[in-house]
Amino acid sequence: MKYKKINLMLACLFFSEYTYAEEIEIQLRPIKVPAVSLKSNLLTGDKVADDNLANRRLLTNDSAQLLEGIAGVSFYTGGGVSSLPVIDGLADDRINIKVDGVTITSACPNHMNPALSYIDPSSTKSIDVIAGVTPVSKGGDSIAGSIIIESKPLVFAADPNKPIFNGSVSGFYRSNGDVRGVNTQLNYATENFSAQYLGSIVESNNYKDGNGNTVTSTEYKSQNNLIKLATRSGEHLFGLNVGWQDIPYQAYANQAMDMTNNKSLSFNANYKGDYDWGIFEARAYRQRVNHKMDMLSDKQPGQMPMDTKAVDLGYSLSAEIPFLETNKLKIGHEYHKYTLDDWWPAIPGSMMMGPNDFWNIRDGKRDRLAIFGEVDSKWTGGWSTNIGARLERVTMDTGNVQGYYDVGGVYKDDADAFNAKNHKRVDHNLDLTAAARYEANANSIFDFGYARKTRSPNMHERYTWSNEAMMAGLMNNWFGDLNSYVGNIDLKPEVAHTFRATAKLHDSEQSDWIFKLSPFYTFVNDYINVVPNDSSNMMNMSMIGRKSLKFVNHDAHLYGADISMSKHLGNLNGSWGTTAVLSFVRGKDEDGSNLYNIMPLNARITLDHTLGGWGNSLELVVVDAKDKLDSVRDEQKTSGYALLNFRTNYKFHDRFRLDAGIENLLDKNYNYPLGGLDYLKTVATDPSGMGMNQPVLVNAMGRSVNVGLTVKF
């Protein structure tokens, strides 16, 4: 009964009477002033476009995972739709992530609702990844780089007498975890009006590892909906996106808690105008999130409810102004207001979790006000440059807090000490970017760049206050290591100085072979790291034998290189080609210790074949052992491994696409390098709870046979 809706939607495909119509993407008419022929992201920008995304959508409902295969990108393992991306060793809030131009904050103290979890892969048109040296116009409050994701574009009718009504429906199944889902796209458009609906639903049970054992707390269910409206008049385009999400549950193997609900509602109004002097863009947005955590059935249900309410509200204004024929000035202003209430309701009759509600963050506020300016220039002799500056004012504040109870000093002393302080903090942050490109000839491009990037602490780094580590500290953890964390109200912003260069060599048409090498070095002043928490709180100890830690500022540095290459191998019963990427990164704290969760040396080699509408790929993934470990967090070693994946697809009649594949073809049993510890297995190693637990790593997914069908109408 539970899949009647899915089956009905798939059945309807084959009885549709609608014809598939010609369509054009929304775009403004050509600008009337001389255009500048250069890219704003001169350095290491990787774009994952629709064709490549189509080959990956069958594999995952986690949009972050669409970036697998981009050199330097890795992931902290989270829930089934909520992994946290990493760029060259810097993760999560350190990355500037925008979804359809909007900044979305991870409201959960475990970061179970990151920005990329609010858009399903089926709704994604393109993703831009810019490592390290990011143009200031792309955003601030970050030090790692940018991930810019755009949903599928609206369309306008080319013929005013022939409105468009078309769409597509996809159904898919993945054997490991019994994952099933449906995605829908509907388009209606006239010459000057366009409407689109994008919807998805996916449900998964727990998956199994390479030994056939169930990895508990990995089930999930997610529903995403997006309505996009637009109208154009002459050179002006007006748009409105309305999105809503419902995740009724998403389990986490590497957390003590699970997501038991996440509901969001978002509005994103935008405008783009083409004027004689250039292009003007404006955007205003609001997203409200109601988020709940507790323990699902694999753990002990109903033991510790946690509620979060958050709002992202903001606007942006920008203008692009060409001047002197080969230059382009971009100026802008942005405002982002974030409010957060994070509380844990009392459990009636509980001696430990009552009689008060526990207020983790109360009346939290984080406001960002920014202005920026940058100039793109194309010079003689094959040179082009991007130079920009960005100023931001980040104002943070929060109200008074309280613990579950007032007796015994466990919560009261910490709450009183926190409440006695002035909570308001104001950071004045400066970003600078200088990049140059030299196109030496038809076969080589060289990029050089420096960026000074700044990130202020997030709300939980700065304002979590309880030194009770057995429960409260464990709940403020988005690292998956089962340690306990407490904030530091006196944290300073991180300031990263990144130097990056890229050499790109290729044949003159860039159709036979390409080789790209990008070494980098980043020094971070006041990197937010951790030290052992030396609080005298009588409950400053871990219930499961892990560490109690406090956020502090240290200096740190990271260095490494990203390599990518491709080669056309020839034509024999179709076209053959190969691609390869390799990534290396190391990170060190000022005291010489290793930074946490640094991805080991890894490589990915793919053999591709196409013949008419048929495409195939065989992929080898090789990952070295992770043995450069953060001893402060008691990070655990992972062994090296190699995986083999096979994927195939067939497109016919321009209306049908069939996808199939086998992931982890050899059913390899291994651990995710950035997957953290398995909470249930770690707890189970010491049933007495006396702190003698042995850490157990999260096991990765074993073999999965995947199939999917897309029908356009």
Side-chain angles (χ1 to χ4, degrees), residues 430-676:
L430 171 65
D431 286 1
L432 300 171
T433 297
R437 167 169 291 174
Y438 175 55
E439 299 186 37
N441 50 50
N443 302 100
S444 58
I445 299 174
F446 299 94
D447 291 338
F448 318 88
Y450 161 78
R452 181 193 196 273
K453 297 292 184 179
T454 312
R455 179 188 79 98
S456 288
N458 66 38
M459 297 287 285
H460 290 95
E461 287 170 330
R462 203 166 233 173
Y463 289 134
T464 50
W465 54 273
S466 177
N467 292 292
E468 186 273 299
M470 297 179 69
M471 184 168 54
L474 184 59
M475 301 303 109
N476 291 297
N477 178 330
W478 52 96
F479 307 101
D481 60 4
L482 302 184
N483 290 315
S484 297
Y485 290 84
V486 66
N488 182 348
I489 199 171
D490 294 318
L491 285 176
K492 300 175 183 177
E494 298 176 323
V495 179
H497 302 269
T498 296
F499 299 87
R500 192 176 186 97
T502 296
K504 183 179 179 181
L505 309 177
H506 51 82
D507 66 286
S508 57
E509 302 297 325
Q510 298 193 46
S511 59
D512 183 40
W513 63 275
I514 298 174
F515 175 84
K516 187 167 77 169
L517 169 65
S518 300
F520 63 89
Y521 175 81
T522 298
F523 179 79
V524 188
N525 287 116
D526 295 318
Y527 179 89
I528 297 176
N529 209 336
V530 293
V531 295
N533 183 6
D534 60 1
S535 168
S536 59
N537 187 310
M538 68 180 74
M539 302 299 285
N540 181 23
M541 64 186 79
S542 172
M543 182 173 62
I544 56 174
R546 300 295 291 159
K547 300 287 190 73
S548 176
L549 304 169
K550 180 177 182 177
F551 292 112
V552 295
N553 289 116
H554 284 180
D555 290 342
H557 67 275
L558 302 97
Y559 59 92
D562 300 322
I563 299 173
S564 59
M565 61 192 79
S566 64
K567 178 70 174 74
H568 180 243
L569 300 177
N571 298 294
L572 178 63
N573 293 322
S575 177
W576 295 83
T578 184
T579 60
V581 297
L582 183 144
S583 300
F584 167 79
V585 61
R586 288 284 182 267
K588 293 281 188 179
D589 188 88
E590 63 183 16
D591 61 9
S593 62
N594 296 302
L595 298 183
Y596 176 68
N597 249 4
I598 298 296
M599 186 70 180
L601 178 69
N602 62 94
R604 187 179 301 258
I605 303 170
T606 305
L607 177 66
D608 295 307
H609 168 255
T610 58
L611 177 62
W614 185 31
N616 303 282
S617 64
L618 184 66
E619 180 182 70
L620 174 66
V621 180
V622 182
V623 179
D624 197 7
K626 186 180 72 172
D627 53 13
K628 303 295 189 293
L629 307 175
D630 181 353
S631 59
V632 177
R633 303 188 200 225
D634 191 27
E635 186 176 7
Q636 301 298 299
K637 179 179 179 179
T638 61
S639 300
Y641 59 89
L643 305 176
L644 201 61
N645 306 313
F646 173 72
R647 297 152 196 160
T648 185
N649 66 81
Y650 185 68
K651 293 178 283 187
F652 47 102
H653 299 303
D654 293 326
R655 296 183 61 182
F656 300 89
R657 177 184 172 111
L658 178 66
D659 287 270
I662 305 176
E663 297 299 294
N664 194 355
L665 183 65
L666 303 180
D667 209 15
K668 174 72 175 178
N669 191 53
Y670 67 103
N671 303 114
Y672 294 117
L674 310 186

Side-chain angles (χ1 to χ4, degrees), residues 148-166:
I148 313 296
I149 189 167
E150 297 289 341
S151 62
K152 290 186 175 180
L154 288 163
V155 296
F156 283 135
D159 187 336
N161 299 315
K162 293 182 179 180
I164 291 173
F165 180 62
N166 61 25

